[in-house]
Structure formats: structure tokens, C-alpha cells
Amino acid sequence: TQLLEQSPQFLSIQEGENLTVYCNSSSVFSSLQWYRQEPGEGPVLLVTVVTGGEVKKLKRLTFQFGDARKDSSLHITAAQPGDTGLYLCAGAGSYQLTFGKGTKLSVIP
Amino acid sequence: EAQVTQNPRYLITVTGKKLTVTCSQNMNHEYMSWYRQDPGLGLRQIYYSMNVEVTDKGDVPEGYKVSRKEKRNFPLILESPSPNQTSLYFCASSWQENYGYTFGSGTRLTVV
């Protein structure tokens, strides 16, 4: 079973601060996907990164895939209360999706 | 609207009483999967399907069955539910695994 270590597990910051969430593994994935989940709802896809070294931007969110395709990071600039939620990384390969345990982000106004 | 629909949304049942959770997608996706989400353990894959009549076990398949007779439907069957199967279940679909999955809204199952 492939494992994805996600850190930090919890993060509480003030509105306007920057933050980075990390997702690491010893396994190589064909892609790394980031999701956001609200309580009691299904995860919603934010982005998929496929190529080693790839960087994607989604407004204030920047996603990076490691050169070796084993790790990824999510950076949020100037966090807002609407960014509050559970952020999940997931590695894809061999028709399976392996999830990290998530980072619970709270942005305080 | 493109979506994955799960039913029921909430279910309370007794140990040993067979149940089925339905999942349907309207996006003509090839891939479908079932996950369970538990506190401290995160999302774990139960079963997945690459196409009609093609299914395989995920990380936690014990006590579950699936079938994929049609492309759009992928039901999850618990033949004899036990309390340790109390969990939040999600169905998801994708047309290609590297393009990300669309998840259903979840089924909260309680087995007493």
C-alpha cells in the first residue's frame, strides 16, 4: 500500500497570512491531486499535477509537483476565511487513489 | 448538471441486515470507486472499477461487494453489515485517473 504523509495536520492562521501544506511519499505517482472538503460533503477537486516539476496556479493557490513525482505542496497567499476547510492530497496510479489524512485549515478573520 | 449521485444520504441499520448503497454518474466516466472515511484514518479505497464488468479490490475490501453491470452505476453491497462498517462512504468517478475524480455527497452509515 502506498502512503502519503500530509503536514501539518492542523493549521490555524490569521486572515492575510500565507501558508504551505506539504504532501510527501516514498512512492512515485502518475499524478498528484488536491481536493478540498467541507464537513459532511464529498471532496471537490482543486487541481491535478501530472509532470514532475509542474507548477499550477488557481487564483491565490499555487500547487507544485516534485521533480521525482513523489511529493507536492499547496501554497495559499493572503488566506481568507473562505479558505477554511479540509485540504486533501491524493496520489494516483494503477487505477487507485491514495489519500493523505488531510490538513484542517482555519482562517480567523 | 454533471454529478455523482449516491443514495441514501443517511442510513441506520442493524447488524447482519443486507444493504445496498447506490451510486450513479451522468458523465460517461470509465473509472468509478468507493471510499470510506473515518476519523484519524482518512479516506480509504474499498473497491474500484476500470470499466463495465471490470472491478478490483482497494485497500479495505473485506465485508463489501460491488458490481458494474452498466457504465453509469456502481452499487456498494454490504451482505452482512457489522458495527465496524459504521462510516462515511463516498462514491467517485473519473474519465481518466490523472484528471481527477468527481465525488458524490456521501452516505453516512450507522450499523447498530
Side-chain angles (χ1 to χ4, degrees):
Chain A
T1 302
Q2 298 173 314
L3 291 175
L4 266 174
E5 298 289 336
Q6 199 172 332
S7 62
Q9 192 176 354
F10 300 96
L11 194 52
S12 182
I13 62 171
Q14 295 289 330
E15 181 176 359
E17 291 183 352
N18 301 333
L19 66 110
T20 302
V21 177
Y22 298 94
C23 187
N24 296 294
S25 176
S26 57
S27 304
V28 176
F29 295 101
S30 58
S31 72
L32 213 298
Q33 301 167 19
W34 286 90
Y35 295 81
R36 180 177 156 181
Q37 186 180 20
E38 301 294 337
E41 297 294 328
V44 175
L45 180 70
L46 295 173
V47 79
T48 300
V49 283
V50 179
T51 306
E54 183 177 3
V55 177
K56 280 190 176 178
K57 292 192 175 183
L58 190 67
K59 297 183 182 177
R60 293 176 293 101
L61 279 60
T62 302
F63 304 85
Q64 186 162 5
F65 201 11
D67 291 339
R69 300 194 353 254
K70 294 181 179 181
D71 54 86
S72 182
S73 63
L74 157 61
H75 182 79
I76 300 179
T77 303
Q80 298 176 0
D83 295 328
T84 293
L86 180 66
Y87 290 82
L88 298 160
C89 65
S94 303
Y95 308 108
Q96 295 188 275
L97 202 59
T98 301
F99 280 87
K101 292 186 180 178
T103 295
K104 193 167 184 180
L105 172 64
S106 296
V107 182
I108 303 162
Chain B
E1 181 189 353
Q3 60 185 2
V4 176
T5 303
Q6 287 180 235
N7 281 298
R9 190 76 194 269
Y10 301 93
L11 180 59
I12 301 175
T13 190
V14 295
T15 299
K17 185 177 181 182
K18 181 179 178 180
L19 67 93
T20 299
V21 183
T22 64
C23 174
S24 180
Q25 51 94 3
N26 62 359
M27 296 165 281
N28 202 36
H29 283 169
E30 302 279 336
Y31 299 97
M32 296 187 76
S33 294
W34 275 103
Y35 299 84
R36 61 178 289 174
Q37 187 173 32
D38 302 288
L41 297 175
L43 278 153
R44 293 177 293 167
Q45 192 173 47
I46 303 171
Y47 268 95
Y48 60 97
S49 170
M50 297 80 86
N51 212 327
V52 175
E53 302 291 2
V54 183
T55 64
D56 207 348
K57 297 176 181 178
D59 295 320
V60 288
E62 294 77 21
Y64 304 95
K65 283 175 58 178
V66 293
S67 69
R68 188 96 182 268
K69 295 188 173 70
E70 307 164 280
K71 199 171 189 179
R72 63 181 293 127
N73 295 323
F74 190 44
L76 179 69
I77 303 154
L78 284 73
E79 295 269 1
S80 182
S82 62
N84 65 12
Q85 292 179 297
T86 292
S87 187
L88 180 58
Y89 290 86
F90 291 102
C91 180
S93 72
S94 175
W95 72 275
Q96 206 266 23
E97 67 172 357
N98 284 339
Y99 283 81
Y101 281 76
T102 301
F103 280 77
S105 297
T107 295
R108 187 168 289 281
L109 172 66
T110 302
V111 183
V112 297

